[in-house]
Amino acid sequence: MKKFFMLLLVSCLALGVAGCGSGGDKKDDVVYVYSWGDYLDPEVLKVFEKETGIHVVLDEFDTNESMYPRVAEGAVHYDVICPSDYMIHKMIDNGLLQPLDFTKLENAKKNIGEEFFKQSEAFDPGNKYAVPYCWGTVGIIYDKTKVTEPVDSWNILWNEKYAGQILMQDSARDAMMIPLKLMGKSMNETDKEVLAQAQEMLKKQKPLVQAYVVDEVKEKLINSEAAMGVVFSGEALNILNANPNMAFAIPKEGTNFWIDCWVITKDAENVDNAHKFIDFMCRPDIAVMNFDYLGYSTPNTAVQELEEDEEIKNSPIAFPSPETYKGQETYKYLGNEMDAYYNNLWMEIKVD
């Protein structure tokens, strides 16, 4: 948070804002954004500020779980946040978000694909609170010079041949999803006996794992420091571009179809500016800029046509066929008790 408070202090001094970010009076020239690390093209923020005169104060998080308590505690009043599907569900249930005014979101209504709003109903019934921003799947990226057998199943992550060469996501839901899918179960499983079996599978895998990672997975795989890793499809595209020895596969047992969305907090002090920011992000030319910067698939239907790089434009990872995500599950919020249960299972795996 040090970086944020320094930015906050500078912004307050520059703008002459009394009580900035601490529950003071609403201001017309600022919006407080809390998003994933490196999830916005810095040039996009400059364009927004130039066009609107609204200053963006940006803070970043690395996991949904680290983001949630800061918002729930209300120590800093954010206006716009970019959580993932199941976390949006949790925030709705716990009264942390406010409904969006879609009369102020014309770009969102016009450019975000209908199928993504339909998928979002799983965590945002009635599409009242969230506008999809990025989406993708979770799969295995592997080094073709190190892995010679077919990579079509999550089972390969238990292959002793690759001991010390496997990277796993440091996330309770993303990690537990893999053994649950291998067992033919839902990744939203709540049966504690089934979850205990999934935990045991991950405990048996642990001696083979080089590291449980989040952002570090990209650098490690680009530098060929591992044979394979569990990654989000957007990261896969960046890794493939940087290291031609890599390949990406979605296991046959199924995977997570995730969606990150823009939402507005219940206690937002700059609601109009928050709507302007979200709608700006849905504008086709801006969506292309963010797509080119991030590499993550976008729900904005205008982007593929505007994309100038023909290789990326025709990439099945960047713009996958609907068959890629047809029938795939999206994480659901399972309640505070089950949420804590998953996290405890995951902590037991890491400290065992």
Side-chain angles (χ1 to χ4, degrees):
M1 289 292 286
K2 289 182 179 178
K3 177 178 70 173
F4 174 71
F5 285 118
M6 287 300 294
L7 286 170
L8 198 57
L9 178 60
V10 171
S11 300
C12 291
L13 291 174
L15 296 170
V17 176
C20 182
S22 60
D25 294 336
K26 182 186 72 172
K27 300 299 173 183
D28 295 330
D29 53 3
V30 66
V31 62
Y32 295 91
V33 179
Y34 197 20
S35 182
W36 295 87
D38 204 26
Y39 217 39
L40 289 159
D41 183 349
E43 291 302 313
V44 161
L45 300 183
K46 292 178 183 178
V47 174
F48 177 77
E49 292 185 334
K50 183 177 181 180
E51 288 189 9
T52 66
I54 299 169
H55 178 57
V56 179
V57 178
L58 175 65
D59 194 15
E60 299 177 337
F61 58 85
D62 59 358
T63 68
N64 285 291
E65 287 69 27
S66 65
M67 172 276 296
Y68 181 83
R70 291 183 179 176
V71 176
E73 290 164 4
V76 179
H77 287 245
Y78 298 107
D79 299 311
V80 183
I81 308 178
C82 189
S84 302
D85 32 56
Y86 70 97
M87 189 56 68
I88 293 171
H89 193 175
K90 179 176 181 177
M91 296 176 83
I92 293 171
D93 279 7
N94 287 280
L96 297 178
L97 303 181
Q98 63 175 275
L100 299 173
D101 183 352
F102 277 88
T103 66
K104 300 178 180 178
L105 298 172
E106 291 301 320
N107 282 314
K109 291 191 293 184
K110 182 168 59 177
N111 299 315
I112 303 302
E114 182 181 352
E115 65 271 27
F116 295 100
F117 276 117
K118 287 181 179 178
Q119 190 75 19
S120 298
E121 293 240 32
F123 55 88
D124 177 20
N127 298 125
K128 297 178 181 179
Y129 293 91
V131 171
Y133 172 56
C134 290
W135 74 275
T137 55
V138 176
I140 300 173
I141 196 161
Y142 60 98
D143 190 326
K144 294 178 289 186
T145 67
K146 298 178 180 180
V147 182
T148 55
E149 61 263 63
V151 179
D152 61 359
S153 169
W154 293 114
N155 270 322
I156 198 167
L157 299 173
W158 277 258
N159 190 327
E160 295 184 359
K161 175 181 176 181
Y162 302 107
Q165 290 290 306
I166 297 170
L167 300 173
M168 292 285 287
Q169 285 288 321
D170 188 4
S171 163
R173 295 297 293 273
D174 289 319
M176 291 289 284
M177 178 268 291
I178 296 171
L180 287 171
K181 286 296 184 183
L182 280 171
M183 296 164 65
K185 302 294 184 180
S186 169
M187 63 186 191
N188 296 304
E189 183 63 63
T190 58
D191 186 315
K192 292 185 178 181
E193 289 188 9
V194 173
L195 293 175
Q197 295 174 43
Q199 183 195 44
E200 186 60 29
M201 290 176 67
L202 290 173
K203 285 183 177 181
K204 289 181 178 178
Q205 182 212 25
K206 185 176 179 180
L208 309 180
V209 176
Q210 181 189 119
Y212 299 111
V213 291
V214 183
D215 294 334
E216 312 96 302
V217 68
K218 187 187 302 183
E219 183 177 352
K220 281 179 172 289
L221 290 167
I222 288 175
N223 295 329
S224 298
E225 295 177 20
M228 66 186 73
V230 177
V231 300
F232 300 108
S233 52
E235 290 174 333
L237 186 63
N238 292 324
I239 294 167
L240 291 171
N241 288 336
N243 187 338
N245 291 328
M246 294 292 176
F248 181 68
I250 296 176
K252 59 188 177 184
E253 295 89 3
T255 186
N256 170 29
F257 173 25
W258 58 267
I259 305 177
D260 291 344
C261 301
W262 294 114
V263 298
I264 298 178
T265 64
K266 182 180 179 181
D267 296 328
E269 298 175 344
N270 305 284
V271 177
D272 285 342
N273 291 350
H275 281 89
K276 289 176 183 177
F277 181 84
I278 293 172
D279 204 49
F280 179 82
M281 293 298 147
C282 297
R283 207 171 79 187
D285 59 322
I286 299 303
V288 170
M289 288 177 67
N290 271 321
F291 170 75
D292 287 339
Y293 179 80
L294 292 172
Y296 281 95
S297 296
T298 171
N300 193 305
T301 57
V303 169
Q304 187 171 15
E305 183 178 347
L306 294 177
E307 175 58 45
E308 296 180 353
D309 188 315
E310 289 299 320
E311 185 176 352
I312 294 177
K313 189 172 186 174
N314 297 310
S315 167
I317 298 177
F319 298 101
S321 161
E323 294 300 316
T324 302
Y325 53 84
K326 185 178 180 180
Q328 303 289 4
E329 286 186 281
T330 297
Y331 286 130
K332 297 178 181 178
Y333 171 54
L334 304 176
N336 287 336
E337 180 181 346
M338 190 54 62
D339 195 34
Y341 192 77
Y342 266 84
N343 288 332
N344 287 338
L345 290 176
W346 181 233
M347 290 304 298
E348 288 174 3
I349 292 166
K350 294 202 294 181
V351 303
D352 188 9

